[in-house]
Amino acid sequence: RRLRRRRREATMSSSSPRPSSSTLTTTARSGAVRRRRASARKSVVSRPGAPRAVADDGGDGAVRGDEEGESPRRARASRGRRVRRVGERPGSVRAAEGDARATAAKTETLSAPLVAVSAPAPVAKAKYLSDSNFAISVALNQEITSCGDLLELAELIERRVDDMSDVNVSTAYGTLAKYMMRSTKFRLEDVIRRDWFTALEAKACEKLPTMKPRGVAQVIWACGYLRRVRKPSRDVFWDALEANVERCAKKFEPQGVSNTAWSYAKMDMRIPSGIRDALEAHIVKNAGKYKAYELSVSFWGLTRFGHRPSMQLVEIFERKMMSWFDFCKAQELSNIAASYARVKGCGTTEFLNAVAQESFSRLNEFKDAEFGMLLWGLSNAGYFVTDEDAELIFNEAELRSRSLQTAEIALVVGSFATFSDVQTVGYRDNELRSFNRFKDSTRLKLTKSLCALESAFLKSMPKCNCNDLSYVIWAFAHLAHHPSADFVRAFEDQTLTRLDDCTPQNLANILYGFSTLRVQSMSLFTNASFCVMEKLDKFSSVELFMVYGALANSHYDPGPQMMLQLERTALPMIETFSPAGLTEFLRVFAKLRYMIDDDTFAAICERCSTCPEQYNSYTMSMTLWSYAQLGKQPCTGVLNRFNDELQGSTKQFQGQDFGLALWSLVVLGTLADASKRTIAVIKSLVRLNAGVLKDSTNLTHETLCSLYMARLVAIGTTYETLVLSATENIADACKTAWLEMKTRDPTISKLQSDVSASLEELDVSFELEAPVEGGLIRPDIVLADRRVVIEVDGPHHFSYDAKGVRRVLGPTIMRNKLLESWGWHVCALPYHEWADLITAREKRAYLKKLLAECE
């Protein structure tokens, strides 16, 4: 009966004679043919052993996607005929399209939005089709849409692909995508490798040049759901498809534009410039025809890889969406926030604030994935969180903590940390973040929310991936949230099993988190360091700084070869470094006591001299400290740059930064190659910061001790007056801190004991750690009758390079200069020279020679 009905419809739709029986018999379905085809279906599409949901990583994949089907509103807009699912009883209530699927999480990005599913294009007679071919196309189109499941569709394509018109091809793609969207029985990778799918692609390449815009849009939409991405080598299908998308883009309907932008984002493919320009021009010209979700999805797809749309498009988008907020669904609001996060700085603050306020007033409408996406977008777009907003967000996160998946927890916690990056004017970098400016009740709610999220993450930690682990520990460190011991143990166990799968960003975040939270884990740092070495060429400059900064802060020595590799990797990047980047690079080497190569110092000097960005109090003081620590005099270009900035600035340093900079310059002034430029910088620094050190309230004990030593060393120098006047108000506090440090019970090292034993064999009178000059200093070994001190310098008094060359550090040089200024003869005994002596006789001979040279 169905066959007869199709024949009648085909006859009525054409004025030509009825198709021949040979043509019509190709659609006959006798019982025997059905049985043979049913037995052959298994060879068309492979059946996996167990049903498997197709994970949706949403294109850029940091938080899990939501539903891949239509939203209720979009389902109503779809005019396509709904097909009964395999195994569904006729007349039963059918599930809505796009059931929720398993979600896949990565870091720092979002899930793909939902787009409307195009209905099969109506078959209109093309000029190139004869009446008989048109009738066949109509019948074939109906047969495609009548297929009951994917197996039947695959069989039909395999048999009739040669008979397909352009409309049949687009209908086949759309129907295939819908079946894959609903099915959990078949894997996408299995489908697109089948011969019948290859045949369909070949037919598409043939028909695309004559396909109408709606059909082209449906094909690229289907590719998005099928994840049919462009192959690394030449891809004939994608060449043909993109050529025709660009040809038809101006004639697309708004839904076609949004589907095209969505598909590229879904497949993690950049939109070619020609297609992107055509899509943007279409939106600008036809903005009045777009619905809210079509416009939001189009904007989301166009900004997927951080491409900044034209200002005209942004203005139109903001104007239209401002009037549609009441009609926007939660996912559309989260898509907007995500788009603005990727093109940070694009658009107006007023619009971003309006998105945030509209979203916060409807948080109960957001699903978990949408909630995480919203917070990620707003935080990365630079939205400034008030106390009222923060309390609302923290309460909502605490309520959702039990239902959130691991990736969603990572996004929410990461958003809290990113919100906190907003700096308060007048404070040192990274010293005061927004969560510190909150009132006490808001900070308490943040703590409660973090504890709830930590507990939920701990329970589901075995299910998480490297992105989740690294993002969570980074966020905890950024928020100064110290997790429980149980969390740390579980985190360490899970991380060690996944290190080989970690990306450079994962490794950087994990090491940064452990070092900032002061978590001691030798096994983690050792194994992570090996992974860093294997992937070092893939690290960005920021990631390198995070890794080596973490190693330095944790006092973990990665070894000279690893430091050499870091230096070689970073050298080509130095010309792009900001002052903060240059400072961090120097700080890491100074902290780990590794001497930088002369060529690298020259590159740093050149970049410092020409960098357009200014140094602030922290970067300038830390740069000076790094040079002083390594005992390396800055080049003239660096000193001139600092002197010019100090003379042209009216903004004073923070007390801690001023103390560090002043001590560093005094150390540099004691070096043998000190220049007049160093004294000039001291003058400019003291002149700018007059009155900064009014009291010692905000200074650490270490800074007070350093400043007292600087006062002692400066006596008798050309910059004595400058240093003493700058620290006059805190002189007593500095001396108190210094004497407290020097009167503590000394620790006698094994090396000191060994040297003292050899001195006893020589009948030399000496004292260990005896205070001199009124207790201001305690040398390692004092020979008071000879006015000689022996300083047994261990490894912490030297820098190293990859060749094994050791150089005395700046603070050690400063100590020796201070003792010499008091009339003491300083005998420096390097640990590595003593280690080369084997017999007692060799040691005695070495000491005799050393004392003779000192006297």
Side-chain angles (χ1 to χ4, degrees):
R1 286 196 299 272
R2 183 168 59 182
L3 179 59
R4 284 197 294 272
R5 183 169 65 253
R6 289 178 180 170
R7 289 174 178 172
R8 285 197 302 271
E9 290 172 353
T11 303
M12 292 173 65
S13 63
S14 174
S15 59
S16 63
R18 184 177 173 179
S20 64
S21 59
S22 62
T23 302
L24 294 176
T25 54
T26 59
T27 62
R29 298 189 175 210
S30 64
V33 172
R34 284 186 182 181
R35 285 190 294 273
R36 287 197 302 271
R37 289 174 183 165
S39 63
R41 284 178 185 172
K42 293 182 179 180
S43 65
V44 179
V45 180
S46 64
R47 296 177 179 270
R52 173 181 170 183
V54 180
D56 176 17
D57 64 8
D60 52 357
V63 72
R64 308 179 170 198
D66 187 26
E67 297 176 354
E68 286 193 88
E70 301 167 320
S71 64
R73 185 193 321 170
R74 296 167 196 170
R76 290 195 295 271
S78 179
R79 298 185 297 275
R81 173 182 174 185
R82 191 176 286 283
V83 181
R84 176 166 58 87
R85 297 184 180 182
V86 179
E88 182 178 350
R89 290 181 293 105
S92 64
V93 179
R94 299 177 177 90
E97 274 189 290
D99 295 332
R101 295 190 177 187
T103 55
K106 296 180 185 175
T107 310
E108 303 179 357
T109 46
L110 310 170
S111 66
L114 308 178
V115 294
V117 180
S118 302
V123 181
K125 183 177 178 180
K127 295 180 180 180
Y128 60 85
L129 284 179
S130 64
D131 290 336
S132 59
N133 288 337
F134 176 64
I136 294 172
S137 179
V138 170
L140 183 53
N141 220 51
Q142 292 175 348
E143 193 170 353
I144 291 171
T145 57
S146 299
C147 289
D149 58 13
L150 180 60
L151 295 174
E152 189 173 343
L153 177 63
E155 181 188 356
L156 176 63
I157 293 173
E158 191 173 40
R159 288 187 298 107
R160 301 293 306 278
V161 67
D162 292 336
D163 300 330
M164 287 185 176
S165 65
D166 53 356
V167 174
N168 299 147
V169 170
S170 65
T171 302
Y173 268 98
T175 306
L176 176 60
K178 291 176 185 177
Y179 284 143
M180 292 305 302
M181 183 172 61
R182 302 185 190 117
S183 174
T184 59
K185 296 182 179 180
F186 307 107
R187 291 181 296 214
L188 287 170
E189 56 269 26
D190 291 336
V191 170
I192 63 178
R193 284 200 299 263
R194 290 293 160 181
D195 292 340
W196 59 266
F197 188 84
T198 304
L200 180 62
E201 282 196 348
K203 194 67 177 179
C205 293
E206 177 187 337
K207 296 297 183 181
L208 275 169
T210 59
M211 197 176 289
K212 293 188 176 181
R214 186 174 182 179
V216 174
Q218 179 147 299
V219 171
I220 196 168
W221 167 81
C223 288
Y225 262 115
L226 296 172
R227 298 295 178 85
R228 171 55 175 93
V229 300
R230 178 183 279 276
K231 298 175 183 177
S233 56
R234 186 187 176 191
D235 195 321
V236 177
F237 170 76
W238 266 103
D239 290 342
L241 179 58
E242 288 184 334
N244 286 280
V245 168
E246 187 170 355
R247 171 181 64 85
C248 299
K250 294 182 180 179
K251 299 180 181 179
F252 278 170
E253 296 176 359
Q255 182 179 308
V257 172
S258 63
N259 284 353
T260 301
W262 172 86
S263 296
Y264 274 100
K266 181 81 171 181
M267 294 181 288
D268 281 335
M269 290 174 55
R270 292 185 179 272
I271 304 177
S273 57
I275 296 176
R276 185 178 60 243
D277 293 343
L279 297 181
E280 288 190 12
H282 188 285
I283 297 173
V284 171
K285 183 177 180 181
N286 304 285
K289 300 179 182 179
Y290 279 75
K291 298 177 182 177
Y293 76 87
E294 292 170 340
L295 192 56
S296 66
V297 169
S298 299
F299 196 81
W300 180 90
L302 289 170
T303 58
R304 164 67 177 82
F305 287 97
H307 169 75
R308 287 180 176 270
S310 65
M311 291 304 300
Q312 187 179 8
L313 175 58
V314 173
E315 291 173 3
I316 292 173
F317 176 76
E318 291 189 353
R319 185 174 66 251
K320 297 288 290 184
M321 295 308 301
M322 286 283 277
S323 62
W324 285 341
F325 277 155
D326 292 340
F327 304 98
C328 284
K329 288 200 163 190
Q331 189 174 35
E332 290 155 15
L333 292 170
S334 61
N335 289 342
I336 294 171
S339 300
Y340 272 67
R342 285 192 292 267
V343 290
K344 187 174 182 179
C346 180
T348 62
T349 304
E350 293 74 17
F351 179 75
L352 186 63
N353 293 341
V355 172
Q357 295 308 313
E358 179 69 23
S359 302
F360 293 159
S361 67
R362 298 160 51 186
L363 279 180
N364 61 318
E365 300 177 17
F366 284 74
K367 297 179 181 178
D368 289 342
E370 295 164 351
F371 176 67
M373 183 194 302
L374 173 71
L375 296 187
W376 179 90
L378 292 176
S379 63
N380 283 276
Y383 177 71
F384 188 82
V385 183
T386 63
D387 276 88
E388 183 180 358
D389 295 337
E391 290 186 9
L392 191 65
I393 294 169
F394 299 155
N395 286 337
E396 186 69 21
E398 184 180 359
L399 291 173
R400 293 173 180 259
S401 59
R402 294 186 179 181
S403 62
L404 292 171
Q405 301 297 318
T406 53
E408 293 156 3
I409 294 173
L411 267 191
V412 172
V413 176
S415 299
F416 291 173
T418 309
F419 276 130
S420 75
D421 273 341
V422 179
Q423 300 296 320
T424 302
V425 176
Y427 286 87
R428 173 180 173 179
D429 287 358
N430 299 323
E431 187 174 86
L432 185 63
R433 303 190 178 102
S434 59
F435 68 87
N436 285 327
R437 62 176 169 78
F438 289 149
K439 56 187 181 183
D440 293 341
S441 59
T442 306
R443 289 202 297 270
L444 180 61
K445 290 183 178 181
L446 170 61
T447 302
K448 291 178 61 179
S449 178
L450 289 174
C451 289
L453 293 169
E454 175 194 330
S455 178
F457 192 84
L458 176 59
K459 292 178 181 178
S460 56
M461 197 179 292
K463 302 178 183 178
C464 65
N465 57 28
C466 295
N467 293 327
D468 304 337
L469 290 168
S470 64
Y471 205 18
V472 163
I473 200 66
W474 172 86
F476 282 168
H478 216 60
L479 293 166
H481 173 74
H482 293 267
S484 65
D486 291 340
F487 182 93
V488 172
R489 282 193 296 270
F491 186 93
E492 185 177 358
D493 292 341
Q494 294 295 329
T495 302
L496 286 172
T497 60
R498 292 174 169 83
L499 277 179
D500 290 339
D501 300 326
C502 286
T503 64
Q505 185 179 10
N506 297 152
L507 293 168
N509 285 343
I510 290 170
L511 290 173
Y512 166 84
F514 266 59
S515 66
T516 304
L517 294 173
R518 300 292 189 267
V519 177
Q520 299 298 326
S521 176
M522 184 61 68
S523 59
L524 178 64
F525 275 92
T526 301
N527 287 280
S529 297
F530 281 119
C531 291
V532 170
M533 284 296 293
E534 292 175 354
K535 305 174 183 179
L536 197 57
D537 57 330
K538 300 178 182 178
F539 277 74
S540 66
S541 58
V542 174
E543 292 162 352
L544 283 175
F545 290 150
M546 289 180 67
V547 167
Y548 286 92
L551 297 177
N553 293 337
S554 300
H555 304 287
Y556 178 84
D557 187 351
Q561 291 305 315
M562 191 169 179
M563 295 301 296
L564 177 63
Q565 190 64 30
L566 164 65
E567 186 177 351
R568 289 176 176 174
T569 304
L571 183 58
M573 306 178 187
I574 288 178
E575 62 183 13
T576 64
F577 283 179
S578 65
L582 292 170
T583 301
E584 182 64 12
F585 182 81
L586 286 169
R587 187 190 75 85
V588 167
F589 276 82
K591 187 82 173 179
L592 293 174
R593 305 186 309 278
Y594 280 94
M595 180 57 70
I596 301 174
D597 186 74
D598 289 340
D599 292 340
T600 307
F601 269 123
I604 292 172
C605 179
E606 177 66 24
R607 178 57 182 169
C608 179
S609 304
T610 60
C611 182
E613 301 176 46
Q614 284 195 332
Y615 280 75
N616 56 32
S617 66
Y618 171 76
T619 53
M620 186 180 293
S621 61
M622 187 54 68
T623 298
L624 291 171
W625 175 86
S626 301
Y627 277 105
Q629 177 72 7
L630 291 172
K632 179 74 174 180
Q633 195 69 239
C635 68
T636 304
V638 173
L639 294 175
N640 287 339
R641 168 70 183 264
F642 287 176
N643 194 46
D644 292 342
E645 287 197 10
L646 290 170
Q647 290 180 348
S649 176
T650 58
K651 185 177 180 181
Q652 292 186 323
F653 282 27
Q654 295 295 310
Q656 189 77 9
D657 294 336
F658 177 48
L660 184 65
L662 186 61
W663 174 85
S664 302
L665 287 168
V666 172
V667 174
L668 295 174
T670 63
L671 301 181
D673 56 348
S675 65
K676 294 182 179 180
R677 298 306 303 170
T678 304
I679 312 303
V681 176
I682 295 177
K683 290 181 180 179
S684 300
L685 179 71
V686 172
R687 186 182 299 112
L688 173 64
N689 295 286
V692 168
L693 299 178
K694 295 179 180 179
D695 54 57
S696 60
T697 305
N698 297 321
L699 300 179
T700 64
H701 186 274
E702 183 181 359
T703 301
L704 291 171
C705 292
S706 298
L707 287 174
Y708 188 71
M709 190 170 191
R711 287 175 60 88
L712 295 176
V713 173
I715 295 175
T717 64
T718 56
Y719 46 85
E720 175 183 355
T721 304
L722 294 171
V723 176
L724 296 183
S725 63
T727 58
E728 182 179 4
N729 294 331
I730 60 170
D732 292 338
C734 291
K735 184 175 182 180
T736 301
W738 177 267
L739 291 176
E740 180 185 345
M741 178 183 66
K742 292 302 178 181
T743 54
R744 294 172 187 167
D745 291 336
T747 301
I748 308 299
S749 68
K750 183 179 179 180
L751 180 58
Q752 283 178 272
S753 300
D754 194 18
V755 173
S756 62
S758 297
L759 287 173
E760 290 176 351
E761 294 176 5
L762 292 173
D763 293 329
V764 175
S765 177
F766 66 90
E767 291 182 87
L768 287 175
E769 297 285 348
V772 298
E773 302 298 326
L776 292 180
I777 196 167
R778 301 179 70 164
D780 293 335
I781 301 174
V782 179
L783 285 66
D785 56 340
R786 303 186 185 188
R787 198 71 179 169
V788 171
V789 297
I790 299 176
E791 289 290 355
V792 182
D793 294 336
H796 293 285
H797 291 271
F798 298 91
S799 65
Y800 310 82
D801 61 19
K803 299 177 182 178
V805 177
R806 297 173 178 85
R807 297 176 178 85
V808 181
L809 293 177
T812 303
I813 296 174
M814 187 181 191
R815 178 206 65 192
N816 296 343
K817 290 285 185 181
L818 177 60
L819 287 167
E820 289 172 357
S821 69
W822 288 335
W824 290 88
H825 300 285
V826 180
C827 299
L829 193 157
Y831 76 99
H832 53 277
E833 293 183 4
W834 187 261
D836 292 336
L837 305 175
I838 300 176
T839 65
R841 183 178 179 181
E842 289 178 340
K843 293 177 180 179
R844 290 194 299 270
Y846 179 88
L847 287 174
K848 284 182 180 180
K849 181 180 179 181
L850 180 66
L851 292 173
E853 291 175 353
C854 292
E855 294 176 347

